Amino acid sequence: GNCADSDPFVKINNVLYNEDELKPIHRIHYMNYSIAQFRNLCNGIDEDVRYKDIFLHYRFLMNPEQKPSMLRRKTILELLNEKNQKVKNKIRRAFV
């Protein structure tokens, strides 16, 4: 497999290819991204995920009408809640 956040790819018609020989990439690993980031993308909230347009294309391939037409930036409240949750999780892990 290929890691989304380290391997450079070329995008042609919603297909990723490796940079050198232009062989198609059949599997891409998003191991350094959280499930929350993908949930946000699917709900129309922009996240810093490489190849998010490709992900959304294939995620909604069978139901394109459900695909977000635009991605919006997170609100201040959403950003604060996210930070708060991260702090809570760190504290919880420290005492387990």
Side-chain angles (χ1 to χ4, degrees), residues 12-36:
I12 303 171
N13 296 326
N14 289 314
V15 177
L16 294 176
Y17 296 88
N18 70 354
E19 231 177 13
D20 301 328
E21 304 157 17
L22 287 182
K23 290 183 180 177
I25 304 300
H26 297 288
R27 288 179 205 84
I28 187 164
H29 297 284
Y30 285 101
M31 63 185 126
N32 293 324
Y33 299 102
S34 72
I35 188 75

Side-chain angles (χ1 to χ4, degrees), residues 40-84:
N40 284 343
L41 281 175
C42 292
N43 289 322
I45 300 170
D46 195 16
E47 287 284 354
D48 187 23
V49 173
R50 286 182 77 182
Y51 312 113
K52 60 185 152 203
D53 54 333
I54 299 287
F55 167 79
L56 289 170
H57 171 77
Y58 286 103
R59 168 63 180 83
F60 293 101
L61 190 61
M62 301 307 268
N63 301 75
E65 69 283 353
Q66 294 177 2
K67 180 181 173 184
S69 58
M70 286 180 47
L71 295 177
R72 67 170 177 81
R73 295 175 81 175
K74 291 181 186 176
T75 65
I76 296 293
L77 184 59
E78 288 169 330
L79 291 169
L80 289 172
N81 283 338
E82 210 172 75
K83 293 280 186 194
N84 187 26

